[in-house]
Amino acid sequence: AVTTTEGALLGVAGPGSGKTAVIAARAAYIIDQGLADPSAVLAVTFTNKAGRELKRRLASVLDESAREVWAGTFHAFALGMLRQWGGHFGFDPDHLSVYADEEDRRAALTKALQSLGLDPKSQPRRALLDSISRAKDRLLWPGDVRERDPELGAVYEAYQEVLRRRNALDFDDFLLFAVRLLEESPDVAECQRDLYRYILVDEYQDVNHAQHRLLALLAAGRGNLCVVGDPLQNLFSWRGSDIRYLLEFQRDYPDARVVLLEQNYRST
């Protein structure tokens, strides 16, 4: 799992088998062998806590070069792209606001409902925000939603317009816009692929459609994508994650090497 550096690799790992340790050791091996500079290694995971642990593991096996490896969450990586290239969508990247909490999103939705002539208090705002969030996780834009559900599509479109006027993104927008940026701007996509030559993903069983698409776009070309996951541990299905992407990794990458990590080093 550490030394098979070229091409796609799937590590199927049980609990306590060292998924994060393998990701850190693989990054160290790539750098030690001179295959890439530390800044050419991208290591992503799902939660801020897991991101901090990933950085800690990298620091334990690397010298100060650990700080040059980009390690963190999918959302932090996507937001970094938009802070650099958000002008592609008409945003002012230098003054981008992030609506990461419920209160900000609810206030924006209230404004959107008012713009449609609807009484916000009579609308299921929690359910509407959840539906918009699920649409974004599936990379659906207002026009896509409007075809199936005209009323929800109109609310979604009005909500996005409020965010646009405020030069703001909500949490789900990070991946939605980052994927579209890579799809619509070949120059940006090529720049990112040249920059990140090796992509490492921890806890791959928790990937959702938007994250899966982002990885596919970044790995296009070299295909140096290493993912490690446990098919029996899917924690974020409520956030749109889909275990299918782990189970069908070999379909997406037919030449992928599969390594089984079966030894449990955690439990007595």
Side-chain angles (χ1 to χ4, degrees):
V2 170
T3 60
T4 305
T5 58
E6 306 309 302
L9 183 137
L10 168 64
V12 180
S17 58
K19 292 188 288 293
T20 306
V22 164
I23 292 292
R26 184 180 173 89
Y29 183 81
I30 288 168
I31 294 164
D32 289 344
Q33 294 296 307
L35 299 173
D37 292 333
S39 59
V41 178
L42 171 65
V44 288
T45 188
F46 293 85
T47 65
N48 290 325
K49 181 180 178 181
R52 289 191 295 270
E53 174 62 15
L54 188 54
K55 291 177 182 178
R56 188 188 71 78
R57 293 292 186 94
L58 287 167
S60 72
V61 296
L62 291 168
D63 53 22
E64 62 275 5
S65 63
R67 292 192 295 270
E68 298 177 40
V69 175
W70 200 102
T73 66
F74 279 96
H75 286 85
F77 175 76
L79 179 59
M81 286 179 54
L82 297 175
R83 290 198 186 280
Q84 186 171 359
W85 288 295
H88 177 82
F89 300 106
F91 292 111
D92 177 359
D94 295 330
H95 301 92
L96 199 60
S97 297
V98 173
Y99 285 12
D101 60 39
E102 181 73 13
E103 185 177 343
D104 287 336
R105 296 175 65 228
R106 196 177 182 90
L109 179 63
T110 296
K111 193 73 173 176
L113 292 169
Q114 290 171 341
S115 74
L116 294 172
L118 299 172
D119 177 10
K121 293 182 180 180
S122 69
Q123 299 296 315
R125 284 176 287 181
R126 175 68 267 171
L128 287 170
L129 286 173
D130 286 345
S131 295
I132 291 171
S133 180
R134 285 194 297 272
K136 291 180 179 182
D137 284 343
R138 296 195 300 271
L139 300 178
L140 298 176
W141 292 81
D144 303 317
V145 174
R146 192 187 286 273
E147 292 178 4
R148 309 177 192 182
D149 188 333
E151 293 181 359
L152 176 60
V155 172
Y156 179 8
E157 186 172 32
Y159 173 76
Q160 291 300 102
E161 178 59 22
V162 171
L163 294 182
R164 187 194 65 78
R165 290 200 307 268
R166 296 178 178 181
N167 200 52
L169 298 168
D170 70 15
F171 191 68
D172 300 301
D173 281 329
F174 299 172
L175 291 166
L176 180 73
F177 280 96
V179 167
R180 190 160 192 169
L181 177 64
L182 294 175
E183 290 175 337
E184 292 184 348
S185 177
D187 290 343
V188 173
E190 197 58 37
C191 175
Q192 292 297 88
R193 291 169 191 148
D194 284 344
L195 180 59
Y196 299 111
R197 296 171 178 267
Y198 292 90
I199 304 170
L200 317 176
V201 187
D202 200 5
E203 306 291 359
Y204 190 72
Q205 75 277 351
D206 290 324
V207 77
N208 67 18
H209 177 64
Q211 292 155 344
H212 175 262
R213 180 63 180 152
L214 180 72
L215 290 171
L217 289 165
L218 291 172
R222 290 184 180 83
N224 291 336
L225 173 64
C226 167
V227 307
V228 182
D230 181 353
L232 300 181
Q233 185 179 353
N234 177 224
L235 300 181
F236 292 99
S237 58
W238 57 276
R239 283 287 303 164
S241 69
D242 194 335
I243 191 69
R244 184 179 71 228
Y245 296 122
L246 173 65
L247 301 177
E248 297 181 354
F249 187 81
Q250 288 176 279
R251 184 203 65 184
D252 295 332
Y253 302 92
D255 296 328
R257 170 84 180 273
V258 179
V259 178
L260 303 181
L261 304 172
E262 299 172 296
Q263 178 66 43
N264 184 337
Y265 296 99
R266 180 188 304 149
S267 307
T268 60

